[in-house]
Amino acid sequence: MDKINRLRLEMKKEDIDIYIVPTSDPHQSEYVSDHWKGREYLSGFTGSAGTLLVEADKAILWTDGRYFIQAENELKNSEIKLYRMGEKKYPSLKRYIRDALKNQKKIGIYGKLISISEFEDWIKDIDSSYYNIDLDLIDRIWVDRPKKPRTELFIHEEIYSGESTRDKLKRLREYMVEKEEHIHIVSSLDEIAYLFNLRANDIVNNPVFISYAVINKKEAILFTDAKYDENILKYSEEEGFIIRDISEFDKYLENIRLKNIGLDPNKTNMWIKEKLKFNKILYKPEILTEFESIRNKVQIENMKKTHIFDGVAVIKTLNYIYKNIENNITEMDVSEKLREFRSKIEGFIEPSFDTIAAYGPNGAMMHYCADADSNSVLKRENLLLIDSGGQYLSGTTDITRTISLGKTSDEQIRDYTLVLKGMINLSRAKFMEKTSGSTLDILARNYLWNEGIDYKSGTGHGVGYLLSVHLGNQRISPNARNSRFKPGMVVTNEPGVYKEGKYGIRIENMLLVRESSMKSDDEFLEFETLTLCPFDKTLIDFNLLNNDEIDFIEKYHMRIRELMKDYLTDEEMALIW
């Protein structure tokens, strides 16, 4: 019997009509450990975003535009139907659930895997007898389920973080006094790692550790199952926090009574809310996200140095590709070579995500990742899209370059140039501090829209600092109406073109938000480009560029040459045309 039918048997035992399996863990992480990949286990869909819904006679997967092509391929031989998020012909997950509840269908979900805000949005005004949030049915059917991760903690020293844990706790407590919070609860793994200046390796490519944190006026408690030694205990005493086993968190919550509890409903699960029912819960966006998003001076200097060496690694990889194209190198060879060059950089920990080395038609899948079955051999034709990044003690990187491997078409050159024009237009933007991410998004899409082309993803996301490659509220996308920018924030700039069955093009730089040097009576912001790697001039139609765009490219390439001349060979320097 297949997995979904085994799930249906468990649903029947619990008198459940619909069971929902999100892509999440108890901390609402974007990337999760293997233990929590229940949606992937059931569906076979390996993308990092999506929700599976199972009924007695149907199964549906919702995912976003980044994964439409991938999901179609991976669901091909299953009963699961793909519902494309954002397309009018498909009901949203929320609409589907609310219609089901109105029709008196009973819904089940494991409350640790759903945020308070999302679940309450689903079941607003619905009788609680129609849903059960205490059902981990996946655990009942998952044979040989991977164990929960448990890796070793290490200290992210102040020479890299730029601020002590003691000072961060002081800032947080000042906020708590202002907001009249007695207790502040943190579930987000990124925010906990940031707050305590600790890292580990519990999730691939994300140097975090499974944990919760509770802060009150007198103490800060870190609940974790991570391994640690006497040095970590000494460090915790010096920085003013206590470490307890994560198994004690449940009992701790149950003992809290009649307090004002501050938490982020977007990052806290329903299980925690149920434990805190005898308290007043204050729903507030997580202040630590803002702390974390704004880089201090130490972090900014570290990032700038890191991008020099990260760019060197990418350029060396490009040189390797051009030199070995006749030797039947593959997409996976490119990924391995990138890791090899990055591993030689001081402070390198791991990649910041699985490298996307996508040749030809594979590039049309935005989050394609080569495996033994799909691994394409590179040829002297078409395009190669390489999206990669590194986790370093001194920061996190995320860069995409698309290059020509030989014969290319006029259509590919036009599309590449339009993407580049949009990327430059956004890079050069000067904008008011209250400008939204949705307003800035138009700057990157405008030239593509004029040709009837769009890409089904956002243009930019915040980036962590030795943390998740996706961070915070500083997003650039059509839906980022509430996203605002402050000096010190970091965001990506990555427009693209994706033509199914043909090719994909993406160019991505990381940008630092800073105060504008422009003279004005108003407060303006601008971007400083952090990423350092040349564009492929063989793919640029200079007749489509204006003088300002040409000047941007030439100055950018001159800057790269100057910063990297001591780290590249003459052959590698020749790549910076």
Side-chain angles (χ1 to χ4, degrees):
M1 182 179 294
D2 68 26
K3 299 165 186 173
I4 289 182
N5 281 328
R6 294 207 310 273
L7 175 63
R8 286 174 174 140
L9 287 178
E10 297 301 324
M11 291 165 57
K12 193 171 182 179
K13 291 177 187 176
E14 299 292 344
D15 191 27
I16 291 295
D17 300 303
I18 293 176
Y19 192 72
I20 301 168
V21 188
T23 303
S24 186
D25 65 7
H27 311 275
Q28 308 309 299
S29 306
E30 178 183 10
Y31 300 102
V32 301
S33 67
D34 288 347
H35 178 84
W36 294 109
K37 292 183 178 179
R39 186 225 67 214
E40 181 178 326
Y41 171 77
L42 278 174
S43 68
F45 169 60
T46 60
S48 68
T51 302
L52 178 67
L53 182 148
V54 177
E55 295 187 66
D57 59 349
K58 68 180 75 168
I60 303 168
L61 176 83
W62 279 264
T63 193
D64 62 55
R66 295 171 296 167
Y67 294 109
F68 288 166
I69 300 173
Q70 178 181 339
E72 290 281 9
N73 291 333
E74 293 182 339
L75 299 177
K76 193 179 299 180
N77 298 317
S78 75
E79 67 167 283
I80 302 169
K81 294 180 180 179
L82 173 64
Y83 278 21
R84 298 181 175 218
M85 292 170 64
E87 294 193 1
K88 292 181 179 178
K89 62 186 285 189
Y90 301 105
S92 68
L93 176 62
K94 174 185 171 181
R95 181 75 269 156
Y96 193 97
I97 291 170
R98 288 189 65 78
D99 286 346
L101 288 167
K102 287 177 182 177
N103 291 324
Q104 299 186 339
K105 289 188 176 181
K106 294 184 179 180
I107 289 180
I109 191 170
Y110 188 35
K112 285 190 174 184
L113 303 186
I114 188 75
S115 72
I116 296 170
S117 56
E118 185 169 17
F119 189 76
E120 291 187 343
D121 192 35
W122 291 351
I123 54 87
K124 186 178 181 181
D125 304 323
I126 301 294
D127 191 315
S128 62
S129 64
Y130 289 106
Y131 57 84
N132 187 333
I133 62 171
D134 196 29
L135 292 176
D136 187 4
L137 300 187
I138 303 300
D139 197 55
R140 298 184 193 178
I141 66 169
W142 194 340
V143 180
D144 298 325
R145 184 175 190 174
K147 293 181 179 179
K148 295 177 182 178
R150 188 168 181 257
T151 57
E152 191 91 25
L153 294 178
F154 65 91
I155 300 167
H156 194 214
E157 303 286 354
E158 205 170 326
I159 57 170
Y160 301 113
S161 68
E163 184 180 14
S164 69
T165 291
R166 189 173 288 278
D167 286 344
K168 291 176 184 178
L169 288 169
K170 181 175 181 291
R171 280 204 287 157
L172 177 57
R173 287 184 172 119
E174 289 170 353
Y175 168 87
M176 291 170 62
V177 169
E178 178 187 339
K179 301 299 181 181
E180 299 182 339
E181 294 180 4
H182 299 132
I183 296 174
H184 195 84
I185 294 177
V186 191
S187 296
S188 165
L189 303 184
D190 267 40
E191 290 163 5
I192 293 169
Y194 159 81
L195 178 62
F196 295 104
N197 284 338
L198 292 171
R199 303 291 191 272
N201 301 104
D202 278 4
I203 299 176
V204 175
N205 303 330
N206 292 261
V208 297
F209 50 98
I210 305 304
S211 53
Y212 296 98
V214 176
I215 296 91
N216 57 40
K217 183 178 180 180
K218 295 182 178 180
E219 60 184 7
I221 307 171
L222 172 63
F223 294 91
T224 184
D225 192 34
K227 300 175 184 176
Y228 55 90
D229 57 19
E230 290 298 321
N231 288 331
I232 297 292
L233 281 176
K234 181 182 177 184
Y235 166 78
S236 68
E237 292 173 5
E238 292 170 350
E239 294 298 320
F241 66 93
I242 303 164
I243 301 178
R244 291 189 185 175
D245 192 273
I246 200 167
S247 61
E248 299 179 35
F249 184 59
D250 187 343
K251 187 66 70 177
Y252 187 94
L253 293 181
E254 290 177 349
N255 289 333
I256 299 175
R257 291 287 190 278
L258 304 177
K259 300 291 184 181
N260 290 348
I261 310 292
L263 53 77
D264 185 347
N266 298 312
K267 297 181 179 181
T268 308
N269 66 54
M270 280 296 297
W271 173 82
I272 289 177
K273 183 190 175 185
E274 290 297 304
K275 294 288 181 182
L276 296 171
K277 58 188 174 184
F278 298 113
N279 299 274
K280 181 180 180 181
I281 300 178
L282 308 176
Y283 287 175
K284 295 171 183 174
E286 181 54 69
I287 185 62
L288 289 174
T289 299
E290 183 168 323
F291 287 1
E292 184 185 352
S293 296
I294 299 174
R295 304 289 191 266
N296 57 49
K297 290 181 180 179
V298 171
Q299 291 174 320
I300 290 171
E301 287 307 308
N302 284 336
M303 282 193 307
K304 289 181 179 181
K305 292 174 185 175
T306 298
H307 276 281
I308 295 173
F309 295 110
D310 192 75
V312 167
V314 176
I315 291 171
K316 286 181 176 291
T317 302
L318 296 180
N319 188 56
Y320 161 81
I321 295 168
Y322 292 134
K323 285 179 64 177
N324 291 278
I325 192 78
E326 314 295 349
N327 297 330
N328 294 323
I329 60 172
T330 67
E331 294 166 328
M332 292 176 72
D333 291 331
V334 172
S335 298
E336 290 168 9
K337 189 57 66 171
L338 262 170
R339 183 172 189 134
E340 176 187 325
F341 284 127
R342 282 195 170 107
S343 68
K344 297 175 182 178
I345 300 172
E346 183 179 355
F348 175 76
I349 304 294
E350 61 184 335
S352 53
F353 54 94
D354 291 338
T355 295
I356 300 167
Y359 174 62
N362 291 338
M365 293 182 277
M366 294 184 204
H367 281 226
Y368 167 82
C369 186
D371 57 26
D373 295 326
S374 66
N375 191 23
S376 294
V377 175
L378 308 187
K379 299 177 182 178
R380 284 276 182 208
E381 61 184 15
N382 218 322
L383 306 179
L384 176 66
L385 185 157
I386 311 171
D387 188 350
S388 69
Q391 295 284 13
Y392 303 90
L393 291 173
S394 49
T396 300
T397 64
D398 184 1
I399 171 176
T400 307
R401 288 295 181 266
T402 303
I403 61 172
S404 167
L405 295 183
K407 184 180 178 181
T408 48
S409 67
D410 291 342
E411 180 186 15
Q412 289 171 328
I413 290 172
R414 181 205 65 163
D415 287 349
Y416 183 94
T417 306
L418 294 175
V419 170
L420 181 59
K421 283 173 70 71
M423 199 275 292
I424 292 172
N425 199 31
L426 179 56
S427 300
R428 297 178 64 244
K430 290 178 171 53
F431 53 97
M432 298 285 287
E433 189 167 310
K434 293 183 179 180
T435 304
S436 71
S438 57
T439 301
L440 290 175
D441 182 79
I442 298 170
L443 298 177
R445 292 182 199 264
N446 182 54
Y447 298 105
L448 291 168
W449 280 358
N450 288 340
E451 300 296 327
I453 303 170
D454 191 30
Y455 47 95
K456 306 301 180 186
S457 68
T459 297
H461 57 82
V463 180
Y465 185 90
L466 188 55
L467 287 168
S468 174
V469 74
H470 294 155
L471 166 74
N473 188 44
Q474 66 273 32
R475 295 181 298 112
I476 301 175
S477 82
N479 300 319
R481 296 179 184 85
N482 297 319
S483 182
R484 298 292 184 269
F485 299 86
K486 295 184 179 181
M489 288 183 170
V490 174
V491 67
T492 63
N493 174 6
E494 47 183 309
V497 168
Y498 307 94
K499 295 190 172 178
E500 186 172 356
K502 297 172 72 173
Y503 56 84
I505 295 168
R506 181 162 64 250
I507 307 171
E508 176 186 18
N509 282 348
M510 283 173 56
L511 307 175
L512 172 69
V513 182
R514 67 185 185 188
E515 293 179 359
S516 176
S517 56
M518 178 178 63
K519 292 183 179 179
S520 173
D521 292 335
D522 294 307
E523 295 180 0
F524 276 84
L525 300 176
E526 63 187 14
F527 294 120
E528 176 182 347
T529 298
L530 296 172
T531 305
L532 298 167
C533 184
F535 310 122
D536 187 342
K537 278 194 175 180
T538 68
L539 285 170
I540 301 174
D541 182 350
F542 282 88
N543 293 317
L544 296 178
L545 301 182
N546 60 39
N547 289 336
D548 287 339
E549 291 163 343
I550 294 172
D551 185 58
F552 178 95
I553 294 169
E554 294 307 317
K555 285 181 178 177
Y556 180 63
H557 285 179
M558 286 174 62
R559 179 179 164 216
I560 296 171
R561 281 195 288 267
E562 182 61 30
L563 290 170
M564 295 188 178
K565 61 186 178 182
D566 295 333
Y567 308 110
L568 296 173
T569 66
D570 291 343
E571 181 181 67
E572 292 160 349
M573 282 292 287
L575 291 177
I576 310 172
W577 298 273

